[in-house]
């Protein structure tokens, strides 16, 4: 991360070009693209492993951990640097080694125009199957670069109103009642809490939280439920306790018919998470679930996440935006889509103690984007 001066210089140049008056009595030039690039400019990708440290041990239905392996990326082009990130929770199968091996195969020098996002990212997708977080690390850095070259934040490029960002939920992991109560008190700022279910103590978790607060909850079973009638009974019980929706009730391998059965009868929306990775999953899941949870580390980044959002909404499906434990880089990237979703679960950077970036934050529980170009992130001073 040596390009802070370059980053600042890039920002200053963009600002100067936007504000320089062309002549007296003329209206100021609009904030437009930066000046034309040098024809010889080429993109270069660099990357380094980065491990996020969690503030608390984090437990879901299938695992516990205190760190999350990741990779930070930069794409430099003619004096401008875009930042990206991969986050790779161990249970998803990618590692810092697999990510570095994938990134070593990325050759951006084959592309002279960074604005050709479709071509470049399709090329990267074809390098190897899988590797969604590694692909996202390139996609996010490229989006940051392109936004900076255009001197616009991505919500403007996509045409979304930054005032319409949602509240984010704050996740309460599975834990002992004392720790859960403590975490709920610490989360006073958040308007919605997300509860991890799918173990034997589901009712204890909910009742413990309800002993401290009556704010709305969302529930994530993380594939932990097996029986569809029991799941339905559970959902009815959750609805009576002001839970708003249930994420991934059954295994992603369970028959779609089980999800359709539950969705048809459930008084709460059923959201697909682990079973909804990429664009092709949206059409497959249409009719079987109420909506989808989009995460950049599953979708291979912002480009495909945006397509999933547009497709799901056009099909009348609900959309939520989720994250892994990740830095403010990937959280900021996702936040530019958030004005268009029903629910956001973008608390990943709030769970870590070594965030190298500043960018999108949470203010009074609401996802709050910056007006800086690209992702709107900067290296923490
Ligand atoms: Mg989930």
């Amino acid at each position: 991360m040596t390009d802070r001066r370059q980053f600042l210089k890039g920002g200053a140049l963009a600002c100067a070009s936007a504000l320089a008056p062309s002549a007296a009595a003329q209206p100021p030039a609009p904030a437009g693209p930066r000046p034309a690039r040098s024809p010889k400019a080429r993109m270069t990708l660099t990357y380094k492993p980065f491990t996020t440290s969690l503030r608390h041990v984090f437990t879901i239905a299938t695992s516990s951990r205190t760190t999350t392996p990741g990779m930070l990326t930069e794409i430099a082009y003619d004096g401008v640097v875009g930042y990206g990130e991969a986050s790779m929770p161990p249970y998803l199968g990618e590692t810092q080694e697999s990510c570095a091996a994938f990134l070593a195969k990325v050759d951006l020098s084959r592309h002279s125009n960074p604005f050709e996002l479709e071509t470049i990212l399709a090329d990267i997708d074809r390098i190897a199957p899988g590797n969604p977080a590694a692909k996202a690390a390139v996609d996010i850095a490229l989006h940051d670069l392109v936004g900076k070259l255009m001197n616009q934040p991505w919500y403007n490029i996509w045409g979304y109103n930054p005032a319409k960002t949602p509240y984010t939920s704050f996740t309460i992991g599975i834990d002992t009642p004392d720790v859960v109560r403590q975490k709920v008190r610490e989360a006073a700022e958040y308007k919605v809490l997300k509860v991890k279910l799918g173990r034997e103590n589901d009712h204890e978790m909910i009742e413990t939280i309800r002993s401290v607060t009556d704010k709305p909850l969302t529930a994530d079973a993380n594939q932990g439920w097996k029986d569809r009638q029991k799941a339905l009974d559970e959902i009815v019980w959750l609805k009576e306790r002001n839970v708003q929706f249930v994420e991934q009730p059954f295994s992603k391998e369970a028959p779609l018919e089980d999800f359709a059965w539950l969705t048809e009868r459930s008084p709460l929306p059923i959201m697909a998470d682990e079973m909804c990775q990429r664009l092709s999953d949206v059409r497959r899941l249409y009719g079987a679930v109420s909506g989808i949870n989009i995460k950049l580390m599953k979708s291979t980044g912002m480009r495909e996440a945006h397509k999933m959002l547009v497709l799901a909404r056009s099909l009348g499906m609900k959309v939520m935006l989720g994250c892994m434990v990740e830095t403010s880089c990937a959280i900021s990237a996702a936040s530019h889509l958030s004005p268009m979703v029903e629910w956001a679960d973008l608390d990943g950077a709030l769970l870590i103690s070594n965030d190298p970036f500043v960018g999108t934050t949470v203010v009074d529980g609401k996802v709050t984007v910056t007006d800086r170009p690209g992702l709107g992130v900067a290296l923490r001073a």
Side-chain angles (χ1 to χ4, degrees):
M1 310 301 303
T2 57
D3 284 309
R4 179 193 309 281
R5 270 171 303 161
Q6 208 61 59
F7 171 80
L8 293 171
K9 192 172 130 204
L13 277 175
C15 211
S17 81
L19 296 178
S22 50
Q26 294 263 329
R34 293 162 53 92
R37 308 276 109 212
S38 150
K40 290 195 176 155
R42 286 289 181 276
M43 289 178 277
T44 50
L45 171 70
T46 53
Y47 48 92
K48 67 168 189 185
F50 181 81
T51 300
T52 51
S53 302
L54 287 151
R55 292 180 192 278
H56 298 283
V57 178
F58 190 68
T59 303
I60 61 171
T62 47
S63 59
S64 291
R65 63 182 198 276
T66 54
T67 61
T68 304
M71 188 74 74
L72 298 180
T73 52
E74 295 186 9
I75 298 178
Y77 174 80
D78 207 16
V80 182
V81 175
Y83 297 114
E85 172 184 9
S87 169
M88 297 168 286
Y91 59 91
L92 294 177
E94 289 183 83
T95 61
Q96 288 172 332
E97 292 71 30
S98 71
C99 184
F102 182 88
L103 295 175
K105 294 179 195 151
V106 174
D107 178 13
L108 292 177
S109 70
R110 300 171 55 209
H111 301 279
S112 57
N113 181 0
F115 291 96
E116 291 174 14
L117 286 160
E118 287 292 344
T119 309
I120 299 167
L121 294 173
D123 250 21
I124 286 162
D125 197 20
R126 277 191 292 267
I127 291 174
N131 294 281
K135 290 171 183 175
V138 181
D139 168 290
I140 294 169
L142 188 57
H143 277 78
D144 192 31
L145 173 69
V146 166
K148 285 170 177 166
L149 294 172
M150 296 172 82
N151 199 24
Q152 293 292 338
W154 268 94
Y155 62 76
N156 270 351
I157 297 168
W158 279 326
Y160 300 150
N161 180 351
K164 293 194 172 169
T165 53
Y167 290 116
T168 180
S169 55
F170 184 83
T171 300
I172 307 292
I174 296 169
D175 223 314
T176 61
D178 278 349
V179 176
V180 168
R181 271 190 287 272
Q182 180 60 28
K183 283 182 182 172
V184 171
R185 287 192 197 99
E186 284 169 15
E189 179 192 353
Y190 303 97
K191 314 290 185 207
V192 184
L193 299 178
K194 172 166 168 170
V195 191
K196 294 289 194 177
L197 300 180
R199 287 194 176 175
E200 333 53 65
N201 66 342
D202 286 359
H203 284 206
E204 180 187 75
M205 277 292 292
I206 297 287
E207 280 162 353
T208 302
I209 293 169
R210 281 286 168 256
S211 72
V212 184
T213 179
D214 58 1
K215 64 177 68 165
L217 304 178
T218 72
D220 190 349
N222 283 118
Q223 316 185 68
W225 295 343
K226 307 274 184 296
D227 180 277
R228 59 190 201 179
Q229 183 60 51
K230 268 196 202 159
L232 179 58
D233 295 345
E234 189 67 16
I235 291 170
V236 170
W237 187 87
L238 291 170
K239 181 177 166 57
E240 288 164 1
R241 282 147 187 88
N242 194 17
V243 171
Q244 298 186 320
F245 62 80
V246 171
E247 239 180 278
Q248 198 67 43
F250 309 128
S251 162
K252 63 181 178 182
E253 315 293 347
L256 267 192
E257 145 64 16
D258 284 1
F259 288 90
W261 183 93
L262 186 63
T263 299
E264 202 180 309
R265 291 161 180 79
S266 170
L268 295 177
I270 303 297
M271 304 295 286
D273 182 5
E274 286 87 340
M275 69 199 302
C276 181
Q277 306 276 322
R278 298 194 57 175
L279 182 60
S280 58
D281 294 317
V282 180
R283 190 172 63 175
R284 183 174 63 82
L285 294 172
Y286 175 59
V289 293
S290 319
I292 59 168
N293 183 347
I294 298 174
K295 295 176 182 168
L296 301 189
M297 297 302 148
K298 299 188 296 182
S299 71
T300 71
M302 296 167 72
R303 194 79 187 151
E304 195 156 318
H306 187 230
K307 291 179 182 183
M308 292 171 76
L309 169 75
V310 171
L311 176 58
R313 289 188 64 93
S314 73
L315 292 169
M317 297 170 81
K318 296 183 186 301
V319 179
M320 67 174 288
L321 205 46
C323 62
M324 306 300 174
V325 173
E326 54 201 29
T327 78
S328 287
C329 179
I331 293 295
S332 299
S335 71
H336 289 267
L337 291 166
S338 73
M340 299 301 284
V341 305
E342 271 90 2
W343 300 290
D345 179 30
L346 294 178
D347 62 351
L350 305 167
L351 304 175
I352 67 172
S353 57
N354 61 340
D355 191 346
F357 294 99
V358 289
T360 293
T361 51
V362 177
V363 179
D364 289 334
K366 184 177 157 73
V367 175
T368 305
V369 297
T370 76
D371 58 4
R372 289 192 289 262
L375 310 179
V377 298
L379 292 173
R380 189 175 290 276

